[in-house]
Amino acid sequence: MSGRWWRPRDLACALRIRAQEPAVCVAGATDLMAGGWDPAGSYLDLSALAALAGIRETEAGIEIGALVTCTALGRHAVIRARLPLLAQSAAATGSRAIQNRATLGGNVMNASPAADNPPVLLAYGAQVRLASERGLRSLPYEEFHTGYKTTACAADEIVHSFLVPVPDAGSHQYFRKVGTRRAQAISKVTLALAGQAGREGLCVRIGLASVGPVPVLARTAAAVLRAGRTAACTRERLQEALQADIAPQDDIRSTRLYRDRVAFNLLKEALCGFPTWSDAF
Amino acid sequence: MRLRCSVNGRRLAETVCPADRLLDYLRARGCTSVKEGCGEGECGACAVLLNGRLVNSCLVPLAHAEDADVLTVEGLPDDDPLSGHFVFEGGTQCGMCTPGMVLAAHALLAECPRPDRARMQEALAGNLCRCTGFEGIYRAIARAAAP
């Protein structure tokens, strides 16, 4: 039996097919083709949809179409200047040949816990926009991943775009991916942090990859940092809080112990960007 | 689907399966410089230029080659200076990675005519060579980049 491959040119047509057919969505196809696609499968190829392309500055933040490639993110002047962590994570995604094809929407929808861009979207507090024949809805990205390789994207929805708020001037931003080597490796641990020092403590958002079944927003660790440099914010408390946020495992790429340790080391390195905190832990 | 595309300047139009790999399509049409290494986008042996951009042809479904210009090393001129520098500088030994490596280097030089070492390493990060140790490849690119 031969499969179907739809490649609609307009969004309405794509959403109609999505509502009616149990087809796998395709954008840059890098994950699909690497994962052993099924010639008898049914695919909804979104790559020709102009509505999902492009980067726009809006009052609420920067709108990034689901089809924007990692190469485009890494080079775009507005992204580099205003969302530099996203330019960095996109440039750390695979090799140039992969970055030329792989899209932000695909990286998110593929829902790998090791994906490189999700920690940055979490740190920036991005919204993901999902389109269906029922309309366009917006969801905090931190609510998107519901379990290992499962998402809040309904069967009739596609990822349309992302709205990423621009951090205030003077905020500190940090991204680091730790893999077997710097080029073209899948991460063992990745951490992204964005935020600033408040009157008491730090107002930061911390996103991590490869430390659990889904990309993780480290809420407990952020809460400890928000309390400020008081008795409540010690090295031990912060480490315990981060360990409560993450659930790393042993697998082919690394071990639970290594990931626990490196995740905390990355957090400490990220905090070095706050002058009065650099010696705190 | 009906695929129309250009391979090394030759116009092609035929009925294909949209999910089939560009890699297999090219090899079946005589472009055997395009090698299958890993088949999952890790090694770069199957790299070609799709509308001037470096891609791994093992990861490109034919649906995405519609109306596209594809370039393999068969489409380079016989006296391509960069390829000559690969030979002269010892940038090729067994040859398995060479076609993809040469195209990755062409893609780099097209966007950055005078790349430094870091830029070369970044551009070739997805092209694995297990023979040369890369030094001959970097020298070849540096010679092609020299004024």
Side-chain angles (χ1 to χ4, degrees), chain B residues 2-147:
Chain B
R2 189 79 183 152
L3 175 71
R4 277 178 303 274
C5 67
S6 154
V7 175
N8 298 326
R10 191 170 125 224
R11 307 289 314 169
L12 296 174
E14 54 200 304
T15 301
V16 300
C17 172
D20 281 352
R21 304 186 302 177
L22 179 60
L23 164 64
D24 301 314
Y25 177 83
L26 292 171
R27 286 186 61 83
R29 276 144 197 84
C31 298
T32 50
S33 72
V34 186
K35 307 297 185 196
E36 174 157 17
C38 67
E40 53 183 29
E42 293 275 348
C43 75
C46 70
V48 302
L49 300 188
L50 184 70
N51 294 325
R53 299 203 142 190
L54 190 73
V55 301
N56 295 312
S57 63
C58 71
L59 298 184
V60 178
L62 284 179
H64 290 189
E66 202 177 341
D67 297 325
D69 288 321
V70 180
L71 183 76
T72 72
V73 292
E74 283 90 347
L76 294 174
D78 287 344
D79 59 349
D80 174 47
L82 179 61
S83 302
H85 294 314
F86 265 72
V87 174
F88 186 79
E89 292 291 349
T92 178
Q93 285 183 34
C94 86
M96 179 75 178
C97 75
T98 306
M101 203 65 85
V102 167
L103 291 170
H106 267 292
L108 167 65
L109 291 169
E111 68 179 50
C112 179
R114 304 289 302 273
D116 61 13
R117 171 63 74 103
R119 191 76 193 263
M120 291 183 205
Q121 289 174 324
E122 185 198 325
L124 300 185
N127 295 77
L128 303 185
C129 174
R130 298 289 92 137
C131 300
T132 67
F134 284 84
E135 290 301 322
I137 294 168
Y138 296 144
R139 284 196 303 271
I141 297 172
R143 278 183 71 125

Side-chain angles (χ1 to χ4, degrees), chain A residues 161-185:
Chain A
S161 55
F162 300 86
L163 182 66
V164 189
V166 178
D168 294 336
S171 72
H172 173 54
Q173 303 186 34
Y174 170 91
F175 172 82
R176 186 162 172 189
K177 169 180 174 176
V178 177
T180 308
R181 59 185 195 129
R182 273 183 62 196
Q184 169 110 322

